Short mmCIF file of all heavy atoms in Angstrom, two decimals:
data_model
loop_
_atom_site.label_atom_id
_atom_site.label_comp_id
_atom_site.label_asym_id
_atom_site.label_seq_id
_atom_site.Cartn_x
_atom_site.Cartn_y
_atom_site.Cartn_z
N HIS A 8 2.48 2.88 8.84
CA HIS A 8 3.77 3.27 9.41
C HIS A 8 4.97 2.59 8.74
O HIS A 8 6.05 2.51 9.33
CB HIS A 8 3.81 2.99 10.92
CG HIS A 8 2.71 3.68 11.67
ND1 HIS A 8 1.53 3.04 12.03
CD2 HIS A 8 2.59 4.95 12.11
CE1 HIS A 8 0.74 3.88 12.66
NE2 HIS A 8 1.36 5.05 12.73
N GLY A 9 4.78 2.09 7.54
CA GLY A 9 5.90 1.53 6.77
C GLY A 9 6.03 2.24 5.44
O GLY A 9 5.27 3.17 5.14
N LEU A 10 6.99 1.84 4.64
CA LEU A 10 7.16 2.46 3.32
C LEU A 10 6.29 1.80 2.26
O LEU A 10 5.88 2.44 1.30
CB LEU A 10 8.64 2.38 2.90
CG LEU A 10 9.57 3.42 3.53
CD1 LEU A 10 11.00 3.17 3.08
CD2 LEU A 10 9.13 4.84 3.17
N THR A 11 6.03 0.51 2.41
CA THR A 11 5.23 -0.21 1.41
C THR A 11 3.76 -0.25 1.81
O THR A 11 3.41 -0.17 3.00
CB THR A 11 5.74 -1.65 1.23
OG1 THR A 11 5.82 -2.27 2.51
CG2 THR A 11 7.11 -1.65 0.58
N LEU A 12 2.91 -0.37 0.81
CA LEU A 12 1.47 -0.44 1.04
C LEU A 12 1.06 -1.80 1.56
O LEU A 12 1.55 -2.83 1.10
CB LEU A 12 0.73 -0.14 -0.27
CG LEU A 12 0.69 1.34 -0.68
CD1 LEU A 12 0.45 1.46 -2.17
CD2 LEU A 12 -0.39 2.09 0.10
N THR A 13 0.14 -1.80 2.50
CA THR A 13 -0.43 -3.06 2.97
C THR A 13 -1.47 -3.57 1.98
O THR A 13 -1.98 -2.82 1.15
CB THR A 13 -1.11 -2.87 4.34
OG1 THR A 13 -2.20 -1.96 4.19
CG2 THR A 13 -0.13 -2.33 5.37
N HIS A 14 -1.78 -4.86 2.08
CA HIS A 14 -2.82 -5.42 1.23
C HIS A 14 -4.20 -4.90 1.61
O HIS A 14 -5.09 -4.87 0.78
CB HIS A 14 -2.80 -6.95 1.32
CG HIS A 14 -1.75 -7.57 0.47
ND1 HIS A 14 -1.85 -8.84 -0.04
CD2 HIS A 14 -0.56 -7.10 0.02
CE1 HIS A 14 -0.78 -9.13 -0.76
NE2 HIS A 14 0.02 -8.08 -0.74
N GLY A 15 -4.36 -4.53 2.88
CA GLY A 15 -5.67 -4.03 3.28
C GLY A 15 -5.85 -3.99 4.78
O GLY A 15 -4.88 -4.07 5.55
N TRP A 16 -7.12 -3.91 5.19
CA TRP A 16 -7.45 -3.64 6.59
C TRP A 16 -8.83 -4.20 6.89
O TRP A 16 -9.68 -4.31 6.00
CB TRP A 16 -7.42 -2.13 6.77
CG TRP A 16 -7.81 -1.59 8.11
CD1 TRP A 16 -7.01 -1.42 9.20
CD2 TRP A 16 -9.10 -1.10 8.50
NE1 TRP A 16 -7.71 -0.86 10.24
CE2 TRP A 16 -9.01 -0.65 9.83
CE3 TRP A 16 -10.33 -0.99 7.83
CZ2 TRP A 16 -10.08 -0.11 10.52
CZ3 TRP A 16 -11.42 -0.46 8.52
CH2 TRP A 16 -11.29 -0.03 9.84
N ARG A 17 -9.02 -4.60 8.15
CA ARG A 17 -10.33 -5.01 8.62
C ARG A 17 -10.62 -4.29 9.93
O ARG A 17 -9.74 -4.19 10.80
CB ARG A 17 -10.39 -6.53 8.86
CG ARG A 17 -10.45 -7.37 7.61
CD ARG A 17 -10.65 -8.85 7.96
NE ARG A 17 -10.85 -9.66 6.75
CZ ARG A 17 -9.87 -10.21 6.05
NH1 ARG A 17 -8.61 -10.03 6.44
NH2 ARG A 17 -10.14 -10.93 4.98
N PRO A 18 -11.85 -3.83 10.13
CA PRO A 18 -12.16 -3.14 11.39
C PRO A 18 -12.06 -4.05 12.60
O PRO A 18 -11.80 -3.58 13.71
CB PRO A 18 -13.60 -2.65 11.17
CG PRO A 18 -14.15 -3.51 10.09
CD PRO A 18 -13.00 -3.85 9.21
N GLU A 19 -12.23 -5.35 12.38
CA GLU A 19 -12.16 -6.30 13.49
C GLU A 19 -10.74 -6.58 13.96
O GLU A 19 -10.52 -6.89 15.14
CB GLU A 19 -12.81 -7.63 13.10
CG GLU A 19 -14.29 -7.56 12.81
CD GLU A 19 -14.61 -7.12 11.39
OE1 GLU A 19 -13.66 -7.00 10.57
OE2 GLU A 19 -15.80 -6.91 11.09
N SER A 20 -9.76 -6.49 13.06
CA SER A 20 -8.41 -6.93 13.40
C SER A 20 -7.29 -5.99 12.95
O SER A 20 -6.12 -6.25 13.20
CB SER A 20 -8.15 -8.33 12.83
OG SER A 20 -8.39 -8.33 11.42
N GLY A 21 -7.63 -4.93 12.25
CA GLY A 21 -6.62 -3.98 11.80
C GLY A 21 -6.00 -4.36 10.46
O GLY A 21 -6.64 -5.03 9.64
N PHE A 22 -4.76 -3.94 10.24
CA PHE A 22 -4.13 -4.13 8.94
C PHE A 22 -3.79 -5.59 8.68
O PHE A 22 -3.39 -6.33 9.57
CB PHE A 22 -2.87 -3.28 8.82
CG PHE A 22 -3.14 -1.83 8.59
CD1 PHE A 22 -3.12 -0.93 9.65
CD2 PHE A 22 -3.45 -1.36 7.32
CE1 PHE A 22 -3.40 0.40 9.44
CE2 PHE A 22 -3.73 -0.02 7.10
CZ PHE A 22 -3.71 0.87 8.17
N ILE A 23 -3.94 -5.99 7.43
CA ILE A 23 -3.55 -7.33 6.98
C ILE A 23 -2.02 -7.42 7.01
O ILE A 23 -1.34 -6.50 6.55
CB ILE A 23 -4.09 -7.59 5.56
CG1 ILE A 23 -5.62 -7.60 5.58
CG2 ILE A 23 -3.56 -8.91 4.99
CD1 ILE A 23 -6.24 -7.63 4.20
N PRO A 24 -1.45 -8.51 7.52
CA PRO A 24 0.01 -8.59 7.67
C PRO A 24 0.76 -8.95 6.39
O PRO A 24 1.72 -9.71 6.42
CB PRO A 24 0.17 -9.69 8.73
CG PRO A 24 -0.99 -10.58 8.51
CD PRO A 24 -2.13 -9.67 8.11
N TYR A 25 0.31 -8.42 5.27
CA TYR A 25 1.00 -8.64 3.99
C TYR A 25 1.14 -7.29 3.31
O TYR A 25 0.28 -6.42 3.44
CB TYR A 25 0.22 -9.60 3.09
CG TYR A 25 -0.01 -10.95 3.71
CD1 TYR A 25 -1.26 -11.29 4.20
CD2 TYR A 25 1.03 -11.88 3.83
CE1 TYR A 25 -1.49 -12.52 4.79
CE2 TYR A 25 0.81 -13.12 4.42
CZ TYR A 25 -0.45 -13.43 4.89
OH TYR A 25 -0.66 -14.65 5.48
N ARG A 26 2.24 -7.14 2.58
CA ARG A 26 2.51 -5.86 1.91
C ARG A 26 2.80 -6.08 0.43
O ARG A 26 3.23 -7.16 0.02
CB ARG A 26 3.70 -5.16 2.58
CG ARG A 26 3.38 -4.64 3.98
CD ARG A 26 4.57 -3.96 4.63
NE ARG A 26 4.18 -3.38 5.92
CZ ARG A 26 3.74 -2.13 6.07
NH1 ARG A 26 3.66 -1.33 5.02
NH2 ARG A 26 3.40 -1.68 7.26
N TRP A 27 2.56 -5.02 -0.33
CA TRP A 27 2.86 -5.06 -1.76
C TRP A 27 4.35 -4.81 -1.96
O TRP A 27 4.81 -3.68 -1.90
CB TRP A 27 2.01 -4.03 -2.51
CG TRP A 27 0.56 -4.39 -2.50
CD1 TRP A 27 -0.42 -3.86 -1.71
CD2 TRP A 27 -0.08 -5.37 -3.30
NE1 TRP A 27 -1.62 -4.45 -1.97
CE2 TRP A 27 -1.45 -5.39 -2.94
CE3 TRP A 27 0.36 -6.26 -4.30
CZ2 TRP A 27 -2.37 -6.25 -3.53
CZ3 TRP A 27 -0.56 -7.11 -4.89
CH2 TRP A 27 -1.89 -7.10 -4.51
N ARG A 28 5.07 -5.91 -2.16
CA ARG A 28 6.52 -5.85 -2.39
C ARG A 28 6.86 -6.83 -3.50
O ARG A 28 6.35 -7.95 -3.54
CB ARG A 28 7.29 -6.21 -1.12
CG ARG A 28 7.10 -5.27 0.05
CD ARG A 28 7.87 -5.71 1.29
NE ARG A 28 9.32 -5.61 1.09
CZ ARG A 28 10.13 -6.65 0.99
NH1 ARG A 28 9.66 -7.89 1.04
NH2 ARG A 28 11.43 -6.47 0.84
N GLY A 29 7.76 -6.45 -4.39
CA GLY A 29 8.10 -7.33 -5.50
C GLY A 29 7.13 -7.17 -6.64
O GLY A 29 5.99 -6.73 -6.45
N TYR A 30 7.53 -7.54 -7.83
CA TYR A 30 6.74 -7.22 -9.02
C TYR A 30 5.43 -7.98 -9.07
O TYR A 30 5.38 -9.20 -8.91
CB TYR A 30 7.54 -7.50 -10.29
CG TYR A 30 6.80 -7.08 -11.53
CD1 TYR A 30 6.35 -5.77 -11.68
CD2 TYR A 30 6.52 -7.98 -12.55
CE1 TYR A 30 5.66 -5.37 -12.80
CE2 TYR A 30 5.83 -7.59 -13.68
CZ TYR A 30 5.41 -6.28 -13.81
OH TYR A 30 4.72 -5.89 -14.92
N ASP A 31 4.36 -7.23 -9.31
CA ASP A 31 3.03 -7.79 -9.46
C ASP A 31 2.10 -6.66 -9.92
O ASP A 31 2.58 -5.59 -10.33
CB ASP A 31 2.52 -8.42 -8.16
CG ASP A 31 2.71 -7.50 -6.95
OD1 ASP A 31 2.66 -6.27 -7.13
OD2 ASP A 31 2.92 -8.02 -5.84
N GLU A 32 0.79 -6.89 -9.82
CA GLU A 32 -0.16 -5.86 -10.24
C GLU A 32 -0.10 -4.62 -9.35
O GLU A 32 -0.71 -3.59 -9.66
CB GLU A 32 -1.58 -6.43 -10.26
CG GLU A 32 -2.19 -6.75 -8.90
CD GLU A 32 -1.83 -8.12 -8.37
OE1 GLU A 32 -0.77 -8.67 -8.77
OE2 GLU A 32 -2.60 -8.64 -7.54
N GLY A 33 0.65 -4.71 -8.24
CA GLY A 33 0.82 -3.57 -7.36
C GLY A 33 1.53 -2.39 -8.00
O GLY A 33 1.53 -1.29 -7.44
N LEU A 34 2.12 -2.58 -9.16
CA LEU A 34 2.76 -1.47 -9.88
C LEU A 34 1.77 -0.31 -10.07
O LEU A 34 2.10 0.85 -9.83
CB LEU A 34 3.28 -1.96 -11.23
CG LEU A 34 4.00 -0.94 -12.11
CD1 LEU A 34 5.22 -0.35 -11.43
CD2 LEU A 34 4.42 -1.61 -13.44
N LEU A 35 0.55 -0.63 -10.48
CA LEU A 35 -0.49 0.40 -10.65
C LEU A 35 -0.80 1.08 -9.33
O LEU A 35 -0.97 2.30 -9.26
CB LEU A 35 -1.76 -0.24 -11.22
CG LEU A 35 -2.97 0.69 -11.34
CD1 LEU A 35 -2.73 1.72 -12.44
CD2 LEU A 35 -4.24 -0.12 -11.63
N LEU A 36 -0.85 0.29 -8.27
CA LEU A 36 -1.16 0.80 -6.94
C LEU A 36 -0.19 1.91 -6.54
O LEU A 36 -0.60 2.99 -6.05
CB LEU A 36 -1.08 -0.36 -5.96
CG LEU A 36 -1.59 -0.22 -4.54
CD1 LEU A 36 -3.08 0.03 -4.53
CD2 LEU A 36 -1.27 -1.48 -3.76
N TYR A 37 1.10 1.68 -6.75
CA TYR A 37 2.10 2.67 -6.34
C TYR A 37 2.06 3.92 -7.23
O TYR A 37 2.24 5.03 -6.74
CB TYR A 37 3.49 2.04 -6.35
CG TYR A 37 3.72 1.21 -5.11
CD1 TYR A 37 3.36 -0.14 -5.08
CD2 TYR A 37 4.24 1.77 -3.95
CE1 TYR A 37 3.54 -0.91 -3.93
CE2 TYR A 37 4.42 1.02 -2.80
CZ TYR A 37 4.06 -0.31 -2.79
OH TYR A 37 4.21 -1.05 -1.65
N ILE A 38 1.82 3.74 -8.51
CA ILE A 38 1.76 4.90 -9.40
C ILE A 38 0.59 5.80 -9.02
O ILE A 38 0.70 7.02 -8.98
CB ILE A 38 1.70 4.44 -10.87
CG1 ILE A 38 3.05 3.83 -11.25
CG2 ILE A 38 1.33 5.59 -11.79
CD1 ILE A 38 3.03 3.06 -12.55
N LEU A 39 -0.56 5.17 -8.68
CA LEU A 39 -1.71 5.96 -8.25
C LEU A 39 -1.43 6.65 -6.92
O LEU A 39 -1.77 7.82 -6.73
CB LEU A 39 -2.93 5.05 -8.10
CG LEU A 39 -3.57 4.55 -9.40
CD1 LEU A 39 -4.60 3.47 -9.09
CD2 LEU A 39 -4.22 5.71 -10.15
N GLY A 40 -0.80 5.93 -5.99
CA GLY A 40 -0.49 6.52 -4.69
C GLY A 40 0.50 7.66 -4.78
O GLY A 40 0.37 8.68 -4.11
N LEU A 41 1.51 7.49 -5.62
CA LEU A 41 2.52 8.54 -5.80
C LEU A 41 1.93 9.77 -6.48
O LEU A 41 2.38 10.90 -6.24
CB LEU A 41 3.69 8.00 -6.63
CG LEU A 41 4.59 6.99 -5.93
CD1 LEU A 41 5.48 6.28 -6.96
CD2 LEU A 41 5.45 7.66 -4.87
N GLY A 42 0.91 9.56 -7.32
CA GLY A 42 0.34 10.67 -8.08
C GLY A 42 -0.70 11.48 -7.35
O GLY A 42 -1.15 12.51 -7.85
N SER A 43 -1.08 11.04 -6.16
CA SER A 43 -2.13 11.75 -5.42
C SER A 43 -1.67 13.15 -5.02
O SER A 43 -0.58 13.31 -4.47
CB SER A 43 -2.51 10.96 -4.17
OG SER A 43 -3.37 11.72 -3.34
N PRO A 44 -2.51 14.18 -5.25
CA PRO A 44 -2.14 15.53 -4.82
C PRO A 44 -2.54 15.82 -3.37
O PRO A 44 -2.19 16.88 -2.84
CB PRO A 44 -2.93 16.41 -5.78
CG PRO A 44 -4.17 15.61 -6.05
CD PRO A 44 -3.75 14.16 -6.04
N THR A 45 -3.25 14.90 -2.72
CA THR A 45 -3.79 15.15 -1.38
C THR A 45 -3.06 14.36 -0.29
O THR A 45 -2.55 14.93 0.67
CB THR A 45 -5.29 14.83 -1.35
OG1 THR A 45 -5.50 13.53 -1.94
CG2 THR A 45 -6.08 15.88 -2.11
N TYR A 46 -3.04 13.02 -0.42
CA TYR A 46 -2.40 12.16 0.59
C TYR A 46 -1.44 11.21 -0.11
O TYR A 46 -1.63 10.00 -0.11
CB TYR A 46 -3.46 11.36 1.35
CG TYR A 46 -4.58 12.19 1.94
CD1 TYR A 46 -5.83 12.23 1.33
CD2 TYR A 46 -4.38 12.92 3.10
CE1 TYR A 46 -6.86 12.97 1.87
CE2 TYR A 46 -5.39 13.68 3.66
CZ TYR A 46 -6.65 13.70 3.03
OH TYR A 46 -7.66 14.45 3.58
N PRO A 47 -0.38 11.73 -0.71
CA PRO A 47 0.46 10.89 -1.57
C PRO A 47 1.40 9.98 -0.79
O PRO A 47 1.72 10.22 0.37
CB PRO A 47 1.26 11.91 -2.38
CG PRO A 47 1.39 13.08 -1.46
CD PRO A 47 0.07 13.14 -0.72
N LEU A 48 1.85 8.95 -1.49
CA LEU A 48 2.95 8.13 -0.98
C LEU A 48 4.25 8.90 -1.12
O LEU A 48 4.42 9.68 -2.07
CB LEU A 48 3.06 6.84 -1.80
CG LEU A 48 1.96 5.80 -1.67
CD1 LEU A 48 2.18 4.69 -2.69
CD2 LEU A 48 1.92 5.23 -0.26
N PRO A 49 5.20 8.68 -0.22
CA PRO A 49 6.53 9.27 -0.43
C PRO A 49 7.24 8.54 -1.57
O PRO A 49 6.97 7.35 -1.82
CB PRO A 49 7.23 9.01 0.90
CG PRO A 49 6.56 7.81 1.47
CD PRO A 49 5.12 7.90 1.04
N SER A 50 8.13 9.21 -2.25
CA SER A 50 8.85 8.60 -3.37
C SER A 50 9.60 7.35 -2.93
O SER A 50 9.78 6.41 -3.72
CB SER A 50 9.83 9.61 -3.98
OG SER A 50 9.14 10.71 -4.53
N GLU A 51 10.03 7.31 -1.67
CA GLU A 51 10.78 6.15 -1.18
C GLU A 51 9.96 4.87 -1.19
O GLU A 51 10.51 3.77 -1.17
CB GLU A 51 11.27 6.42 0.26
CG GLU A 51 12.23 7.58 0.39
CD GLU A 51 11.50 8.93 0.40
OE1 GLU A 51 10.32 8.96 0.81
OE2 GLU A 51 12.11 9.93 -0.04
N SER A 52 8.65 5.00 -1.20
CA SER A 52 7.81 3.80 -1.17
C SER A 52 7.98 2.98 -2.44
O SER A 52 7.91 1.74 -2.40
CB SER A 52 6.33 4.18 -1.00
OG SER A 52 5.85 4.88 -2.13
#
């Protein structure tokens, strides 16, 4: 429910309270998410 991607999730506790923001290896993550033809990220992310 946010614009940025979370670091991950656990079935026991839900989403990890950290997000991919600021320059790092997450650059690849966003390009892959934006390029998805099925469940893509919005451009605003």
Side-chain angles (χ1 to χ4, degrees):
H8 304 98
L10 281 177
T11 52
L12 284 157
T13 63
H14 280 207
W16 176 86
R17 285 186 175 88
E19 296 84 7
S20 55
F22 284 98
I23 296 171
Y25 302 105
R26 290 180 175 269
W27 292 101
R28 296 179 67 250
Y30 184 56
D31 49 30
E32 70 275 24
L34 181 59
L35 175 70
L36 191 64
Y37 281 89
I38 290 167
L39 287 170
L41 289 165
S43 171
T45 48
Y46 308 103
L48 291 173
S50 297
E51 297 80 27
S52 66

